[in-house]
Amino acid sequence: MKQLLDALRALAEPTRLRLAVVLSYGERTVSELTEILGQSQPRLSRHLKLMVEAGVLTRQPEGAWVFFRLS
């Protein structure tokens, strides 16, 4: 139950909900997400970190890139 509540809290913020919608179409890098959402890299990185900690997203490092996808 705690994991579900953490995920719902993470998605309750508009930017994080938008991130989840974009990532529902497939994995993306932070650079791609900044271009799609028109927000700064530090801002999106903070939101992505919170979503990973809540178990909503997973991060997959591949070389110099990190790909984010829905869990």
Side-chain angles (χ1 to χ4, degrees):
M1 182 64 100
K2 181 185 178 329
Q3 187 176 8
L4 175 60
L5 289 174
D6 289 343
L8 291 172
R9 282 186 194 108
L11 293 171
E13 201 278 333
T15 298
R16 292 193 289 264
L17 185 57
R18 289 176 62 205
L19 282 166
V21 170
V22 170
L23 292 171
S24 72
Y25 292 99
E27 66 184 18
R28 301 272 187 218
T29 64
V30 176
S31 298
E32 292 171 321
L33 292 168
T34 59
E35 188 175 316
I36 292 167
L37 297 177
Q39 295 191 17
S40 70
Q41 181 271 325
R43 179 181 169 93
L44 287 185
S45 290
R46 172 91 174 119
H47 287 298
L48 291 166
K49 179 180 183 259
L50 291 170
M51 293 174 77
V52 168
E53 290 172 352
V56 176
L57 302 179
T58 58
R59 67 187 302 277
Q60 180 65 40
E62 291 183 21
W65 300 100
V66 177
F67 290 88
F68 290 88
R69 63 179 63 106
L70 290 176
S71 296

